[in-house]
């Protein structure tokens, strides 16, 4: 996903192997500038192959897809799965041309689903959209009645009455409508009229929401020299650790340390966009692109499709317009290519588009003059901060401006280390060919002016195309390509994933089941200052495209602030972690790694996620062939066959969720209990999957309103999660949140209150006191405390 699709990687590898050895050697040693000079012309023979691969990526508008999604939407609407139906109508709308009657029908259908979901405001927006896109006259009365009903539900009685009279006139005018549907309309009309009369007679004043909890604002003092950072941090530099942040005073758990808006972020597509499967079958699976705004990552309910492509969907017209101005008018025609070349290339392109050509060319030129030794950008810093960590000041630290300030700017992004000399020459070659392919297509699509115009409009408003050269990139585009190459290489170490807790399944169970999901890849130049530890002292949470960093434990003054790049000591053994971290070009020397490497203390991780003997349930040992640890038993099984059983089990669990979505809770329970039986025969009792099954069972019982059973299963899941992630981890926080909801719904007041308390303590450290979950916990608490005593006595 981050890298180009496999076929293109192989293609580039073959090309690399076939190059003249002398050229390979020169490329291997070349600076970024040289790499492009030497390699720019090497794309040509491969362009056709890339073009073919792009045809698989579905980014354009296709009428056949629109029809398919609309019919699927109607089918689910008929089964009252309104949320899913709304999603499918959105899919359909994204494949229709703007302003066409077809797209207006998608919006109108979606408005019906939204109405049933009780989302009246959004429903009205969709009705307005349908009208403005030329909704067919003859179908209008039905939509107008829905509009009136919506307005009525929102308490806008006069507006509802006005809309109703418009509808009435229309129905009266075209009497030709087939009689039965005409009858239905008339019936609906008279019902609505009655309702309006009722409302008018007892005109009640609109109620103001009361009892708003005053939100406490967090104590926050911003750092003078690092934008978005708290004043309790300082930026240091030394050769061994590079740039890093250190506590300049004692820090308490939960204290905010950094608030940063992504410099750029790109929503991660999911595999289904690139499926090579059959030509006609459209995928109804919901992906990130359907769930989140392409620009601001807000959750989508009724998306606004891009006018040009089917993959960019926005939360609002405004977001669509801003994205179009900033970058999407350039990216839109390149959709298939960007999906094929992967997210890193996409982030690289968006970075240069957002920065603007003037800034890009200034910094690229500066990088040529600034240091002779391009292989080693760190060398530039030699000598300047060899002084002890403290007191040296930040002036001269790479990425800082002349006043010694480090800001979230293009200059800071540009100064993130590309590690050009550490990437393999083949990898650099692949990245180079990929960015050249993007620049070539920009040139061929006549978008060069749009790219360059970004900042200095008069200077670059020359003719749109650059035709004098036969496929050679213009000098300006070469500069753009060089910057992009740098960014792609930087991303390997500096890409920050934006993750959210994603809701699973439907919301009608009163208990929200959430799972962390990777949403986007972004550049956060300030967050990038943090070094890695497998045992970090902070926690990062995201809201839209903004990151907030909080201390997850007390940090004494002078201690370095550590972020975990992925391999956490709770989740992996030291060998696995070191393997994963090698992509960042360093060997981790964090305390957790040192302890595990030196003291011969075996990590607890493998014990927990292991297989057990199918015959006697003792633990299994070995690599390829696993043997029972119980000598009397002597059973051995291949790892492969156990892994196969594990995958089968996961598949069964998916099916159980599917049943739950179809409201077949009893069957879902049966299936999960069977899974549990099977799993008990070959998984250790502490296996994460065992916890997941308990979690699912809790979910099903919750949808049935069987709160006690639900709580019992969830408590078992919590035990397992705690073993894996620790008792104050964010994972435990989320589990306790679920438990609190279940106990709340089951009126188990005292247990609910103590669970709320625990969840609050943990989640406020990781997500802050303002987070939605904390607010919800507090509302539950208020509600429980206000319950009449006779209910309280029951517990
Ligand atoms: Zn948005
Ligand atoms: Zn588009
Ligand atoms: Zn480590
Ligand atoms: Zn055994």
């Amino acid at each position: 996903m981050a890298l180009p699709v496999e076929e293109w990687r192989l293609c580039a590898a073959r090309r690399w192997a076939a190059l003249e050895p002398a050229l390979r050697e020169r490329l291997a040693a070349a600076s970024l500038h040289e790499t492009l000079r030497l390699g720019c012309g090497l794309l040509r023979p491969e362009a056709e192959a890339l073009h073919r691969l792009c045809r698989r990526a579905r980014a354009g508008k296709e009428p056949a897809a629109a029809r398919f999604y609309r019919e699927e939407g109607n089918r689910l609407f008929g089964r009252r799965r309104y949320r899913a139906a709304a999603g499918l109508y959105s899919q359909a709308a994204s494949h229709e041309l703007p302003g066409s009657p077809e797209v207006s029908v998608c919006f109108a259908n979606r408005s019906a689903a939204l109405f049933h979901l009780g989302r009246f405001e959004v429903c009205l927006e969709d009705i307005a959209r349908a009208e403005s896109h030329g909704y067919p006259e003859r179908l209008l009365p039905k939509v107008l009645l829905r509009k009136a009903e919506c307005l009525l539900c929102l308490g806008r009685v006069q507006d509802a009455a006005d809309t109703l009279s418009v509808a009435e006139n229309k129905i009266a005018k075209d009497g030709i409508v087939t009689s039965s549907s005409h009858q239905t309309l008339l019936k609906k009309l008279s019902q609505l009229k009655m309702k309006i009369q009722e409302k008018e007679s007892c005109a009640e004043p609109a109620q103001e929401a009361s009892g708003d909890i005053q939100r406490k604002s967090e104590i926050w003092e911003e750092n003078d020299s690092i934008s978005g950072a708290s004043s309790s941090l300082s930026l240091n530099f030394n050769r061994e650790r590079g740039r890093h942040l250190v506590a300049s005073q004692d820090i308490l758990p939960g204290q905010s340390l950094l608030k940063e808006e992504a410099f750029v972020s790109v929503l991660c597509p999911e595999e289904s966009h690139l499926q090579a499967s059959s030509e006609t079958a459209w995928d109804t699976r919901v992906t990130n692109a359907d769930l989140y705004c392409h620009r601001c990552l807000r959750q989508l309910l009724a998306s606004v499709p891009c006018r040009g492509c089917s993959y960019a969907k926005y939360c609002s017209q405004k977001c669509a317009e801003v994205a179009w101005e900033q970058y999407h008018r350039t990216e839109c025609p390149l959709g298939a290519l960007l999906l094929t070349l992967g997210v890193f290339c996409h982030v690289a392109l968006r970075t240069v588009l957002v920065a603007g050509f003037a800034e890009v060319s200034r910094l690229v030129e500066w990088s040529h003059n600034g240091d002779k030794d391009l292989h080693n950008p760190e060398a530039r810093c030699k000598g300047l901060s060899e002084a002890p960590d403290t007191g040296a000041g930040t002036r001269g630290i790479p990425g800082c401006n002349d006043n010694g300030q480090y800001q979230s700017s293009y200059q800071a992004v540009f100064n993130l280390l590309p590690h050009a000399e550490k990437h393999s020459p083949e990898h650099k070659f692949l990245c180079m060919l990929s960015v050249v392919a993007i620049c070539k297509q920009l040139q061929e699509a006549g978008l060069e002016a749009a790219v360059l115009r970004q900042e200095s409009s008069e200077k670059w408003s020359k003719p749109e195309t650059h035709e004098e050269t036969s496929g050679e990139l213009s000098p300006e585009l070469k500069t753009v390509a060089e910057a992009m190459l740098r960014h792609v290489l930087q991303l390997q170490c500096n890409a920050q994933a934006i993750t959210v807790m994603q809701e699973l399944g439907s919301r009608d169970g009163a208990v929200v089941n959430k799972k962390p999901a990777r949403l986007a890849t972004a550049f956060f130049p300030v967050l990038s200052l943090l070094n890695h530890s497998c045992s970090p002292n902070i926690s990062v949470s995201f809201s839209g495209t903004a990151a907030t960093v909080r201390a997850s434990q007390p940090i004494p003054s002078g201690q370095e602030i550590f972020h975990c790049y992925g391999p956490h000591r709770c989740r992996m053994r030291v060998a696995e972690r070191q393997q994963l971290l090698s992509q960042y070009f360093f060997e981790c020397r964090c305390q957790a790694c040192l302890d595990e490497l030196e003291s011969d203390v075996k990590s607890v991780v493998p014990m927990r996620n292991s297989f057990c003997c199918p015959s006697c349930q003792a633990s299994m040992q070995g690599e390829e062939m696993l043997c029972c640890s119980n000598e009397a038993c002597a059973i051995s099984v291949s790892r492969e066959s156990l892994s196969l059983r594990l995958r089968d089990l996961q598949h069964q669990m998916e099916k159980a969720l599917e049943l739950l979505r179809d409201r077949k809770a009893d069957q879902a329970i049966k299936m999960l209990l069977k899974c549990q039986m099977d799993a008990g025969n070959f998984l250790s009792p502490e296996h994460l999957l065992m916890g997941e099954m308990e979690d699912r069972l809790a979910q099903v019982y919750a949808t049935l309103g069987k709160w006690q059973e639900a709580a019992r299963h969830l408590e078992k899941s919590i035990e397992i999660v705690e073993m894996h992630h620790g008792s104050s981890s964010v994972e435990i926080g989320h589990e306790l949140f679920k438990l609190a909801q279940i106990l709340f719904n089951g009126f188990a007041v005292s247990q609910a209150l103590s669970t709320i308390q625990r969840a609050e303590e943990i989640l406020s450290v990781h997500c802050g006191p303002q987070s939605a979950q904390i607010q919800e916990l507090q509302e539950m608490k208020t509600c429980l405390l206000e319950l009449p005593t006779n209910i309280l006595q029951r517990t």
Side-chain angles (χ1 to χ4, degrees):
M1 228 166 50
L3 294 176
V5 295
E6 194 185 5
E7 292 88 339
W8 176 239
R9 295 206 301 267
L10 292 173
C11 199
R14 275 197 301 273
R15 182 89 174 108
W16 170 257
L19 290 180
E20 292 276 322
L23 180 54
R24 270 212 304 263
E25 235 165 79
R26 285 177 70 196
L27 277 168
S31 66
L32 297 181
H33 184 66
E34 273 294 291
T35 304
L36 272 156
R37 202 183 60 77
L38 292 168
C40 218
L42 298 173
L43 173 71
R44 187 86 69 81
E46 312 303 328
E48 183 47 38
L50 183 57
H51 191 69
R52 262 200 315 277
L53 288 173
C54 286
R55 253 177 269 152
R56 283 188 351 202
R58 288 177 159 153
K61 293 192 185 287
E62 297 175 60
R67 263 198 307 282
F68 169 80
Y69 286 122
R70 205 168 53 230
E71 279 159 20
E72 280 296 296
N74 290 341
R75 199 170 62 80
L76 289 190
F77 189 94
R79 288 163 63 191
R80 300 182 184 200
R81 287 182 49 188
Y82 299 119
R83 189 175 269 267
L88 288 160
Y89 292 138
S90 299
Q91 289 278 69
S94 73
H95 279 283
E96 299 285 13
L97 294 175
S100 64
E102 287 81 9
V103 79
S104 73
V105 171
C106 296
F107 292 138
N109 287 3
R110 193 170 67 184
S111 75
L114 293 168
F115 180 83
H116 284 286
L117 289 168
R119 305 297 294 264
F120 305 120
E121 299 279 1
V122 204
C123 173
L124 286 176
E125 281 173 29
D126 255 359
I127 291 174
R129 257 178 221 130
E131 286 178 298
S132 73
H133 284 264
Y135 193 65
E137 275 289 309
R138 64 192 167 81
L139 299 174
L140 213 49
K142 200 170 157 194
V143 173
L144 286 173
L145 289 183
R146 186 179 305 139
K147 186 174 171 183
E149 207 169 352
C150 243
L151 289 165
L152 203 57
C153 291
L154 289 167
R156 291 161 60 182
V157 181
Q158 188 53 49
D159 292 341
D162 294 347
T163 308
L164 205 58
S165 66
V166 177
E168 200 169 9
N169 286 336
K170 280 228 183 303
I171 294 171
K173 241 199 284 176
D174 30 76
I176 0 147
V177 199
T178 52
S179 57
S180 74
S181 67
H182 197 209
Q183 288 302 318
T184 328
L185 280 181
L186 288 175
K187 205 167 131 200
K188 185 95 211 171
L189 183 69
S190 63
Q191 279 173 354
L192 276 177
K193 269 189 180 166
M194 295 234 309
K195 274 197 201 167
I196 288 181
Q197 276 159 12
E198 276 170 34
K199 288 258 179 177
E200 276 169 341
S201 62
C202 62
E204 51 192 297
Q207 273 194 337
E208 283 293 308
S210 59
D212 242 353
I213 304 159
Q214 196 63 41
R215 291 187 173 192
K216 279 177 281 173
S217 65
E218 290 176 73
I219 312 149
W220 177 257
E221 208 181 310
E222 189 157 326
N223 200 292
D224 294 331
S225 53
I226 317 159
S227 68
S230 127
S231 57
S232 48
L233 302 182
S234 69
L235 173 59
N236 287 14
F237 179 90
N238 62 37
R239 290 200 63 197
E240 185 202 341
R241 315 207 51 82
R243 298 177 296 189
H244 56 282
L245 294 177
V246 169
S248 56
Q249 49 186 262
D250 293 342
I251 292 168
L252 297 170
Q255 201 175 318
S256 306
L257 301 179
L258 182 64
K259 295 171 186 173
E260 187 181 18
E261 188 64 41
F263 183 78
V264 286
S265 60
V266 169
L267 190 63
C268 294
E270 278 159 295
E271 309 302 331
S272 62
H273 271 280
L274 289 167
Q275 237 141 44
S277 60
S278 64
E279 298 264 313
T280 44
W282 302 95
D283 203 329
T284 53
R285 271 180 304 175
V286 182
T287 70
N288 283 344
D290 309 312
L291 292 173
Y292 300 94
C293 177
H294 190 76
R295 174 174 171 266
C296 72
L297 306 180
R298 206 167 288 158
Q299 211 165 352
L300 295 175
L301 184 60
S303 58
V304 177
C306 170
R307 59 181 112 162
C309 64
S310 64
Y311 76 97
K313 302 181 184 80
Y314 300 93
C315 66
S316 62
Q317 194 58 39
K318 175 97 180 102
C319 245
E321 279 159 20
V322 174
W324 186 262
E325 277 312 306
Q326 280 192 327
Y327 49 79
H328 194 66
R329 67 176 160 172
T330 315
E331 293 178 0
C332 188
L334 270 60
L337 182 64
L338 293 172
L339 285 171
T340 306
L341 293 179
V343 178
F344 282 3
C345 282
H346 197 163
V347 174
L349 173 63
R350 193 170 289 180
T351 302
V352 299
L353 293 174
V354 167
F357 181 70
E359 192 63 2
V360 170
S361 78
R362 178 179 81 83
L363 283 157
V364 168
E365 262 162 51
W366 167 83
S367 76
H368 298 164
N369 305 333
D371 53 8
K372 278 141 252 140
D373 190 357
L374 279 159
H375 299 217
N376 189 5
E378 294 98 323
R380 205 171 35 219
C381 325
K382 222 185 295 181
L384 62 86
S385 285
E386 286 297 293
D389 277 355
T390 48
T394 48
R395 202 165 308 175
I397 291 183
C400 288
N401 64 20
D402 296 339
N403 300 321
Q405 282 166 330
Y406 188 88
Q407 280 165 331
S408 174
S409 62
Y410 184 63
Q411 178 167 335
V413 171
F414 196 89
N415 274 285
L416 296 173
L417 294 181
H419 289 296
E421 72 293 351
K422 290 178 186 157
H423 291 275
S424 74
E426 291 95 324
H427 180 71
K428 265 199 302 188
F429 184 72
L430 165 71
C431 297
M432 185 275 293
L433 280 190
S434 304
V435 300
V436 168
I438 292 175
C439 291
K440 279 258 159 73
Q441 196 171 335
L442 287 173
Q443 188 163 289
E444 281 161 19
L447 288 163
E448 181 173 3
V451 176
L452 306 182
R453 202 192 285 142
Q454 215 80 30
E455 291 246 310
S456 48
S457 51
E458 30 348 295
K459 196 173 162 198
W460 300 110
S461 55
K462 305 187 282 197
E464 292 269 312
T465 46
H466 216 283
E467 279 178 286
E468 78 277 20
T469 49
S470 52
E472 176 74 358
L473 287 180
S474 69
E476 290 83 6
L477 277 179
K478 270 195 189 145
T479 301
V480 169
E482 185 179 333
M484 280 173 61
L485 178 56
R486 166 182 283 264
H487 298 322
V488 173
L489 297 178
Q490 286 169 331
L491 281 163
Q492 186 156 327
C493 296
N494 292 289
Q496 172 66 50
I498 295 182
T499 54
V500 289
M501 293 302 290
Q502 197 163 57
E503 267 180 45
L504 293 174
S506 60
R507 230 208 134 130
D508 36 55
V511 176
V512 188
N513 200 17
K514 291 181 168 189
K515 209 178 160 178
R518 185 192 184 98
L519 254 199
T521 299
F523 267 130
F524 285 96
V526 184
L527 189 53
S528 277
L529 294 172
L530 298 178
N531 283 324
H532 165 84
S533 163
C534 305
S535 173
N537 48 16
I538 57 146
S539 186
V540 186
S541 60
F542 297 92
S543 164
T545 55
T548 302
V549 172
R550 287 191 174 77
S552 60
Q553 51 184 261
I555 306 173
S557 173
Q559 197 177 83
E560 184 170 350
I561 312 296
F562 287 111
H563 182 20
C564 177
Y565 293 177
H568 194 283
R569 80 185 156 86
C570 287
R571 266 155 255 158
M572 281 171 216
R573 293 177 257 194
V574 64
E576 282 175 90
R577 298 203 303 262
Q578 296 284 351
Q579 165 68 29
L580 250 168
L581 288 166
S582 64
Q583 66 169 310
Y584 302 115
F585 309 117
F586 72 89
E587 263 177 82
C588 188
R589 286 278 165 267
C590 77
Q591 203 51 50
C593 283
L594 291 178
D595 288 351
E596 266 180 67
L597 283 170
E598 282 163 19
S599 65
D600 222 37
V601 173
K602 281 223 173 127
S603 161
V604 270
V605 177
M607 300 299 292
R608 296 182 197 132
N609 261 345
S610 61
F611 294 116
C612 73
C613 173
S615 158
C616 73
Q617 270 80 53
S619 67
M620 298 291 278
Q621 293 167 339
E623 291 301 322
E624 298 288 295
M625 237 8 225
L626 294 168
C627 299
C628 180
S629 59
N630 173 6
E631 278 173 32
C633 174
I635 278 211
S636 70
V637 194
S638 75
R639 181 177 289 273
E640 204 189 332
S641 75
L642 289 175
S643 302
L644 217 65
R645 276 178 83 174
L646 187 65
R647 268 202 298 279
D648 192 49
L649 196 64
Q650 281 162 330
H651 187 66
Q652 298 280 316
M653 284 170 66
E654 283 305 314
K655 272 195 182 158
L657 260 198
E658 194 67 31
L659 286 170
L660 182 62
R661 273 197 285 271
D662 279 337
R663 292 159 203 262
K664 294 174 183 156
D666 289 339
Q667 291 180 42
I669 289 177
K670 260 190 212 144
M671 190 150 217
L672 284 171
L673 289 175
K674 192 179 156 289
C675 285
Q676 231 176 6
M677 289 264 290
D678 290 349
N681 286 328
F682 73 107
L683 295 182
S684 73
E686 297 88 17
H687 200 286
L688 260 186
L689 206 64
M690 297 297 250
E692 217 172 295
M693 277 182 268
E694 297 286 0
D695 191 288
R696 298 267 161 99
L697 276 166
Q699 197 190 341
V700 187
Y701 281 115
T703 59
L704 293 172
K706 296 188 174 173
W707 307 111
Q708 279 183 0
E709 279 96 332
R712 220 181 48 233
H713 285 288
L714 198 59
E715 275 158 5
K716 284 191 205 150
S717 156
I718 289 176
E719 272 175 40
I720 295 175
V721 171
E722 191 165 337
M723 272 189 261
H724 283 262
H725 298 288
S727 58
S728 53
S729 61
V730 67
E731 287 84 358
I732 276 292
H734 292 307
E735 289 295 298
L736 288 171
F737 179 80
K738 276 191 266 183
L739 183 60
Q741 285 180 312
I742 285 171
L743 295 168
F744 174 87
N745 281 303
F747 285 117
V749 179
S750 60
Q751 280 169 287
L753 284 172
S754 65
T755 307
I756 289 172
Q757 167 105 17
R758 250 188 96 194
E760 235 181 306
E761 278 165 17
I762 295 171
L763 287 172
S764 65
V765 165
H766 293 280
C767 313
Q770 313 280 339
S771 71
Q773 282 181 312
I774 295 287
Q775 302 295 323
E776 219 166 304
L777 286 168
Q778 282 171 354
E779 279 162 31
M780 281 195 263
K781 188 161 60 180
T782 315
C783 188
L784 288 173
L785 293 173
E786 281 170 2
L787 279 179
T789 37
N790 56 348
I791 293 182
L792 284 175
Q793 274 155 6
R794 271 177 38 193
T795 62

